[in-house]
Amino acid sequence: MARFASYIWLMIGLLLPVTAWGEQQSASAVDTAAMMKDDYIRASLLSITPDAEVYSIFGHCALRLQCPSQQMDYCFTFETSTDTEGIVNFFRGNSLGGFAPAPTPDYLEYYRQQGRGITEYVLNMTPEEKLELWRIVDDEIAKGFTHDYGYMHNQCTSMIVSVVNRALATCIKYSDLPAELDGSFRDLMISASENYPWSRFFWQTIMGPEGDETEPLAHKLIPQLLPVAWEKATVGSENRRLIKDPGTKIVQEKVNTRASNCWLSPLTVFTLLLLFVLLVSYFEWTKGWRKLPRTVDAVLLVCHTIVSLFLTWLVLFSTQDGKWWYCYL
């Protein structure tokens, strides 16, 4: 899903005058016939592997657009903010997202340093469709961070599907979809978080009954599954394949030591906590301990109160995805 990476990509892109496709075209006398050649623009889907952060377990995806004759090679990614205000807005349901550009070498290096892999899938679009896609993405960048962001309904994958659909002369037709897309968003989250127990615990905690509803396909195409779905998707009456060839690994991922089949899972932690409380209670009853049990009781009460108040606030005041009529207390 969206990487929550900051506005750095947007700032990099805005500082470079070649980012805006419209400006580049007005500044260059480009031969119309050359623009209609299939190799004038190369459009690709980039699929980035998951990471251990709670917002990265679904992976991430972006568009890569290249125009070799104009020496342009940019990645376009739908992002939201992760500073303190951005995190508060996420829980309030007021997060804003937008498309941000980055020079491809910088974008690839960013994920290479994180040890995350990137696979590139070339899109089988006509020259007109690729020109329209670049125009649409450029318009989105000009709008800034103005889209409502929601982890279920409006994130990196759904926005990429949206702009590609708008650029195509017809809708994408899906077939032989992965079995994971048959269930609810919660089913999808559980499958994606298999190796990340703490992230699963987080999403299970904040996701209410909306997560159990059957969402439209566009909302369930998480980054890990989008290439799988698009590899068998077709476009138009001629049933043109949307993705030309199998993906090419352009950044190799490192072994993720933080992906946890870690023994210190939520189940382990809460089991140890329960055993500790039972042990303290035993000594309170048999040895007459008073100070330690009271301290433990106070700490547990404070923690429970904080969590309860947070969940109550989430239910009553947040417009975040998935929490409607949420009752976890």
Side-chain angles (χ1 to χ4, degrees):
M1 317 289 278
R3 174 71 185 108
F4 284 68
S6 72
Y7 292 98
I8 184 169
W9 297 128
L10 181 59
M11 299 310 297
I12 290 173
L14 292 177
L15 291 173
L16 296 172
V18 295
T19 298
W21 174 256
E23 293 179 10
Q24 181 70 14
Q25 292 303 315
S26 63
S28 305
V30 181
D31 181 40
T32 303
M35 294 173 63
M36 291 300 106
K37 291 182 178 179
D38 188 58
D39 60 354
Y40 184 70
I41 294 176
R42 187 174 188 261
S44 306
L45 170 71
L46 299 184
S47 177
I48 296 115
T49 57
D51 198 16
E53 281 91 355
V54 68
Y55 47 78
S56 299
I57 63 168
F58 301 101
H60 187 49
C61 59
L63 289 173
R64 181 183 183 182
L65 297 176
Q66 303 170 72
C67 182
S69 65
Q70 301 298 312
Q71 298 181 334
M72 298 175 68
D73 187 358
Y74 284 87
C75 294
F76 300 91
T77 174
F78 187 78
E79 304 283 353
T80 189
S81 173
T82 49
D83 58 15
T84 303
E85 182 181 2
I87 293 172
V88 172
N89 285 336
F90 171 76
F91 285 112
R92 292 175 59 192
N94 294 337
S95 289
L96 295 177
F99 276 93
T104 294
D106 295 344
Y107 192 75
L108 301 186
E109 182 60 27
Y110 175 78
Y111 285 103
R112 183 179 289 110
Q113 290 181 3
Q114 291 188 350
R116 298 173 68 180
I118 301 179
T119 303
E120 182 175 21
Y121 300 85
V122 178
L123 299 180
N124 187 20
M125 303 174 72
T126 66
E128 295 86 352
E129 289 168 345
K130 288 184 282 189
L131 282 167
E132 179 65 6
L133 177 60
W134 205 319
R135 184 196 66 77
I136 290 171
V137 173
D138 207 47
D139 287 346
E140 289 290 341
I141 293 169
K143 292 177 185 176
F145 281 47
T146 55
H147 291 280
D148 291 333
Y149 179 89
Y151 67 89
M152 287 176 59
H153 300 133
N154 213 31
Q155 17 68 11
C156 64
T157 316
S158 63
M159 289 303 296
I160 284 178
V161 171
S162 174
V163 296
V164 170
N165 259 323
R166 286 160 57 190
L168 295 170
T170 183
C171 291
I172 300 172
K173 294 181 288 187
Y174 295 94
S175 62
D176 298 326
L177 290 169
E180 294 94 325
L181 294 173
D182 292 336
S184 66
F185 192 88
R186 188 185 304 278
D187 296 330
L188 209 55
M189 179 276 296
I190 290 173
S191 174
S193 61
E194 181 179 1
N195 295 322
Y196 306 96
W198 283 102
S199 294
R200 175 183 292 185
F201 176 73
F202 170 81
W203 290 115
Q204 286 280 48
T205 301
I206 71 168
M207 187 183 296
E210 281 185 57
D212 298 313
E213 297 175 0
T214 302
E215 294 285 337
L217 177 62
H219 296 164
K220 293 192 292 186
L221 284 172
I222 61 174
Q224 296 177 59
L225 297 179
L226 181 60
V228 181
W230 275 12
E231 280 183 316
K232 297 183 179 180
T234 57
V235 177
S237 57
E238 72 277 20
N239 289 326
R240 170 181 22 123
R241 292 176 59 193
L242 181 56
I243 288 180
K244 284 186 175 181
D245 303 300
T248 302
K249 199 78 168 182
I250 57 176
V251 174
Q252 194 68 38
E253 68 264 34
K254 298 177 183 176
V255 176
N256 191 349
T257 56
R258 293 183 299 165
S260 7
N261 284 312
C262 166
W263 68 273
L264 200 61
S265 65
L267 178 61
T268 303
V269 169
F270 291 125
T271 299
L272 292 175
L273 179 60
L274 175 60
L275 292 176
F276 174 72
V277 170
L278 291 176
L279 185 63
V280 170
S281 300
Y282 171 78
F283 282 111
E284 180 183 13
W285 296 333
T286 60
K287 304 295 184 182
W289 288 11
R290 293 289 180 268
K291 186 174 181 180
L292 180 59
R294 289 175 181 174
T295 302
V296 171
D297 287 345
V299 171
L300 291 177
L301 178 62
V302 169
C303 291
H304 183 270
T305 302
I306 292 173
V307 173
S308 299
L309 288 174
F310 168 72
L311 292 174
T312 301
W313 172 81
L314 201 64
V315 171
L316 298 179
F317 302 107
S318 173
T319 58
Q320 183 196 92
D321 285 348
K323 67 92 198 173
W324 184 247
W325 294 117
Y326 183 56
C327 188
Y328 197 90
L329 305 180

